Amino acid sequence: MRFSQCLFLPAVWALSVFLSPVQALTLTIRTDSPGKPISPMLFGIFFEDLNYAADGGLYAELVQNRSFEYSALDRPDWNALTGWQLLKRGSGDGTAYIGDARPLGPNNSRYLELHCRAGREGSAVGLSNSGFDGIVLKAGESYTFSVFARQQPGRHFSWQVCLESRDGIILDSRDLPPLSPDWKQYSAVLHPKETTDSGRIVLWIHGDGVIYLDMVSLFPQNTFKNRKNGLRRDLAEVIADLKPRFVRFPGGCLVHGDGLSNLYRWKDTIGPVELRKAQKNIWRYHQTVGLGYFEYFQFCEDIGAEPVPVVAAGVSCQNTDRYWGVGQQAIPLEKMPEYIQEVLDLIEWANGAPDSTWGRLRAQAGHPEPFHLKYLGIGNEDAMTPAFRERFEMLYRAVKAKYPDITVIGTVGPNPEGFDYEEGWKFADALNLEMVDEHSYKSPQWFWSNLKRFDRYDRAKSKVYLGEYAAHEPDRRNTLRSALAEAAYMTALERNGDLVRMASYAPLLGKQGNTQWNPNLIYFTNTEILRTANYYVQMLFSTHAGDRYLLADFDQPLPDEKRFAFSAVRDSRTGDIIVKMVNGEAQALTLTLNLQGLPQTETAVIQTLLTAETPDACNTFRSPNDVTPETAPITLRDKQPFTAAPYSLTILRIPGKN
Ligand code: AHR
């Protein structure tokens, strides 16, 4: 159902509304009431390198396995040469080995050793990489190639970097300077003459002897905000359009990892990329950590969002033993002081003066100003074991002792009920935590049935960060039905915006064909981006947020089972009043809107409508616009009935005088 149809009230709706027992409903909105406060941080995002969200996704690096660090630990069928292909031209020949005797640094232990035989004039050995299922190259754009290399002393090589199409057509090439026997970085800027989505990068080498290569990189210069080592522009822009008030990172399960050796250690993710410590991704691939803490904080700043980093609570993910790993392991108590210091150092790195030990590293990375970190998550969905409690408490007390202004967010397990939830809340009460992180992956009906959940929470206890939630259909599709269930729940979050301080749908990104988890908010390929119905709901709530929740109610109670939810908020900055109505029913709902406190008998309103013919509607790459919002000005007249379309989210924005 489209906006224009809705405006003119099709006959079938009129009939169903006419016959409806609730046709005489009046929704009174007290636009003159002071209202309750709503957290200014309410709607944000949750980012985790899951589903190729970072490597192969948001992180704009185009070369896969650039540092030859892939291994069977990442995935049983992977090794250090995964993603690379040896090519031969003419009578040139070569053999590739993996070396580790003279690495670039202790964290980057492996490199490629290419033993080359020159062959006749014009012959060469080639090393090619097709990125993550083909490199996207755009004519007219610039790409920075870089590599660390050295050569066997006393030999002579000539070498060249080429961008090629899948069938070997050269799109651009550059001769590279003579090699030295010591590690040195070489770089060149290339300009492909044609556009392709299945390109490859090839290093052609001519000479006899051994050449050593590491960190073979190709980066578009056209990244988000033109950052070096930056983010894929189109994807970052779609995320920025959500206008998130905060970004939680780097996960999720990725934070506490598969065993202690797989915890996400922020210090391994900063500094020169070639010296960072790549590691296995708990989601069964590889994390280069090229998108590391500096890049996360910078992205937050670039999109005006508060950074909300999450660190492991001294224990690893308990869920891994169920599927593939070792289950919850705890950092030995004698090593906890070191780990606690690591967490304290993060705060100094983010906020410390440029001459402080850790603030200096931030300044050296190009950010002398502090990042103004205010929130820190400790733990993610951890099982409430004695080992967890002991370590969490040590971390919590140490952070609050040194940085009392940092809001620490605790965790109350993976579900909105059950043992870890109950025990997590008791633990939070005992420690008097400021905020806890709740998660709800549930059916659409669960969200509709739980609209009053937070109304019942004790305001004297911890505030809530609903850090992960999504309405899951049995087939895990991003249907309009699921999006409307989330929208209804979000009206309840607004109503409880004094208690629920932050909320983020999860997960954010899924690369088509590489997902370990569905549904996600945004799907993407190397060239396309799909905004789901759920994405539009998040975007609409975020861009139509308010800071005061206004008194509003029907003149007669709606039956509990009726899937209809609403909220009315004021944006004090603009004075705008925003009314949201979610109709999850197959029938339209007609009501009279009584905007109490507005003098006009005719009110100019901007209406946004998100709906479709059926609740099963779902945007796909083939049909990306089945559920998209439409916006148009309308006039609300006093006492004139207003119709909320079947299966719809309607937002009425009444401009204020500010
Ligand atoms: O969002 C996907 C996963 O769901 C997160 O990594 C984890 O915290 C939760 O179980």
Side-chain angles (χ1 to χ4, degrees):
M1 192 70 67
R2 287 282 163 248
F3 175 72
S4 50
Q5 291 170 284
C6 163
L7 262 187
F8 297 111
L9 197 63
V12 57
W13 292 7
L15 189 61
S16 67
V17 166
F18 191 65
L19 298 175
S20 162
V22 288
Q23 59 183 301
L25 282 175
T26 295
L27 178 60
T28 298
I29 295 162
R30 297 276 308 275
T31 69
D32 52 354
S33 64
K36 282 197 308 174
I38 300 176
S39 161
M41 291 271 289
L42 189 53
F43 299 122
I45 57 173
F46 160 78
F47 183 91
E48 176 168 18
D49 188 5
L50 151 69
N51 307 319
Y52 281 52
D55 291 300
L58 186 59
Y59 183 51
E61 173 62 79
L62 294 168
V63 174
Q64 181 167 198
N65 189 16
R66 65 182 174 188
S67 191
F68 308 100
E69 298 294 325
Y70 275 24
S71 83
L73 288 178
D74 299 315
R75 256 171 61 166
D77 55 332
W78 279 4
N79 60 53
L81 286 170
T82 295
W84 294 97
Q85 228 195 329
L86 207 56
L87 308 174
K88 292 167 191 181
R89 192 160 66 201
S91 52
D93 204 354
T95 317
Y97 299 94
I98 293 300
D100 59 6
R102 253 182 81 190
L104 267 180
N107 285 339
N108 186 352
S109 54
R110 280 178 286 180
Y111 50 85
L112 185 88
E113 261 188 48
L114 194 57
H115 294 238
C116 311
R117 289 174 290 283
R120 285 185 301 278
E121 181 73 28
S123 302
V125 183
L127 189 68
S128 87
N129 188 296
S130 304
F132 297 87
D133 301 326
I135 294 181
V136 176
L137 299 167
K138 293 180 188 153
E141 297 214 348
S142 306
Y143 295 81
T144 303
F145 159 78
S146 63
V147 61
F148 280 84
R150 61 185 171 88
Q151 67 157 68
Q152 186 182 4
R155 304 298 174 116
H156 176 76
F157 293 94
S158 57
W159 61 323
Q160 195 182 44
V161 56
C162 294
L163 297 181
E164 297 186 356
S165 69
R166 187 179 16 208
D167 4 286
I169 295 169
I170 295 179
L171 304 178
D172 198 11
S173 69
R174 289 283 177 280
D175 289 334
L176 296 165
L179 283 155
S180 106
D182 295 313
W183 284 118
K184 210 176 127 185
Q185 191 176 31
Y186 300 83
S187 61
V189 178
L190 294 120
H191 307 277
K193 64 180 183 198
E194 279 170 29
T195 295
T196 176
D197 57 10
S198 52
R200 62 181 187 178
I201 183 169
V202 187
L203 269 172
W204 286 109
I205 298 150
H206 181 82
D208 268 310
V210 188
I211 163 166
Y212 306 85
L213 302 167
D214 205 351
M215 292 300 287
V216 189
S217 167
L218 184 72
F219 243 91
Q221 291 189 349
N222 183 14
T223 57
F224 186 60
K225 305 272 181 195
N226 299 316
R227 298 281 185 203
K228 287 214 168 73
N229 192 45
L231 307 180
R232 192 175 131 179
R233 180 188 284 273
D234 56 350
L235 210 41
E237 282 173 353
V238 170
I239 296 171
D241 287 347
L242 287 167
K243 303 276 181 266
R245 307 303 193 273
F246 66 88
V247 182
R248 171 182 166 204
F249 57 87
C253 291
L254 187 101
V255 168
H256 51 171
D258 181 10
L260 291 181
S261 60
N262 195 228
L263 299 187
Y264 192 96
R265 313 301 286 257
W266 74 271
K267 287 184 184 175
D268 291 341
T269 75
I270 58 164
V273 281
E274 68 276 10
L275 301 180
R276 296 183 190 179
K277 192 171 181 181
Q279 66 164 337
K280 143 180 149 176
N281 184 316
I282 190 174
W283 296 104
R284 307 201 114 181
Y285 59 107
H286 182 85
Q287 35 177 340
T288 64
V289 299
L291 169 50
Y293 260 41
F294 183 82
E295 292 75 21
Y296 280 123
F297 274 79
Q298 185 174 252
F299 182 50
C300 291
E301 194 170 79
D302 282 345
I303 62 174
E306 295 285 349
V308 183
V310 184
V311 295
V315 293
S316 66
C317 180
Q318 71 275 4
N319 290 325
T320 56
D321 57 354
R322 227 184 312 150
Y323 306 109
W324 60 80
V326 296
Q328 189 184 75
Q329 293 183 334
I331 294 179
L333 284 177
E334 65 276 13
K335 294 213 168 139
M336 276 304 286
E338 202 184 317
Y339 183 67
I340 290 168
Q341 191 55 49
E342 180 178 322
V343 173
L344 296 176
D345 291 344
L346 167 61
I347 302 170
E348 182 179 293
W349 175 83
N351 291 352
D355 59 355
S356 61
T357 310
W358 289 97
R360 181 174 297 118
L361 294 188
R362 184 198 68 237
Q364 281 166 3
H367 204 287
E369 292 305 316
F371 278 122
H372 305 291
L373 177 68
K374 300 185 190 79
Y375 299 85
L376 179 70
I378 299 182
N380 173 66
E381 295 192 348
D382 298 287
M384 292 289 143
T385 59
F388 161 79
R389 291 165 196 253
E390 191 170 11
R391 284 154 187 79
F392 179 93
E393 188 169 348
M394 291 165 90
L395 285 158
Y396 170 66
R397 295 209 186 281
V399 170
K400 290 309 278 186
K402 183 148 188 203
Y403 298 105
D405 294 340
I406 294 283
T407 299
V408 171
I409 306 169
T411 173
V412 291
N415 292 306
E417 71 271 307
F419 179 82
D420 293 321
Y421 172 81
E422 302 291 343
E423 290 301 311
W425 266 103
K426 282 187 211 154
F427 187 50
D429 290 348
L431 291 181
N432 201 15
L433 292 187
E434 296 138 290
M435 209 185 287
V436 294
D437 174 21
E438 273 197 35
H439 294 177
S440 296
Y441 295 106
K442 293 286 184 182
S443 69
Q445 186 52 50
W446 182 92
F447 284 93
W448 280 108
S449 305
N450 279 273
L451 294 182
K452 296 195 177 135
R453 177 184 176 88
F454 293 116
D455 301 285
R456 296 188 281 261
Y457 272 43
D458 183 346
R459 266 47 190 174
K461 293 189 175 188
S462 310
K463 304 298 176 223
V464 174
Y465 168 31
L466 183 60
E468 299 182 27
Y469 70 97
H472 283 185
E473 293 275 26
D475 60 5
R476 300 288 186 109
R477 288 163 68 242
N478 291 78
T479 58
L480 174 63
R481 184 188 298 103
S482 67
L484 293 178
E486 288 151 12
Y489 207 62
M490 290 168 84
T491 64
L493 298 183
E494 291 183 314
R495 184 171 65 250
N496 288 282
D498 58 324
L499 168 91
V500 183
R501 296 295 170 92
M502 303 193 277
S504 42
Y505 179 100
L508 182 69
L509 295 177
K511 186 168 192 178
Q512 187 78 343
N514 289 286
T515 53
Q516 296 83 40
W517 182 288
N518 288 296
N520 301 290
L521 199 64
I522 301 166
Y523 285 84
F524 64 96
T525 65
N526 285 343
T527 52
E528 286 178 291
I529 299 178
L530 180 73
R531 295 161 183 81
T532 61
N534 315 70
Y535 171 92
Y536 287 118
V537 164
Q538 292 294 322
M539 190 190 77
L540 292 173
F541 272 74
S542 182
T543 53
H544 293 288
D547 57 336
R548 307 296 298 183
Y549 183 84
L550 303 177
L551 283 177
D553 214 347
F554 281 109
D555 57 345
Q556 48 187 291
L558 282 186
D560 270 354
E561 66 283 1
K562 189 105 190 142
R563 288 191 295 261
F564 188 86
F566 64 90
S567 68
V569 302
R570 182 192 301 117
D571 176 356
S572 305
R573 212 174 22 92
T574 57
D576 293 1
I577 307 286
I578 303 140
V579 181
K580 303 185 183 83
M581 287 175 278
V582 188
N583 185 4
E585 299 286 342
Q587 290 81 36
L589 182 77
T590 294
L591 45 90
T592 304
L593 269 179
N594 176 17
L595 299 172
Q596 212 175 82
L598 292 184
Q600 302 95 325
T601 46
E602 290 201 347
T603 310
V605 168
I606 307 294
Q607 173 174 282
T608 303
L609 184 68
L610 185 74
T611 187
E613 296 287 348
T614 143
D616 287 320
C618 171
N619 294 338
T620 61
F621 282 99
R622 280 189 182 182
S623 181
N625 298 318
D626 282 3
V627 191
T628 52
E630 292 191 10
T631 296
I634 61 164
T635 304
L636 283 181
R637 292 191 179 81
D638 208 18
K639 304 275 171 350
Q640 183 195 323
F642 180 87
T643 300
Y647 305 122
S648 67
L649 162 64
T650 307
I651 299 181
L652 302 176
R653 189 169 191 115
I654 304 155
K657 292 178 216 82
N658 303 359

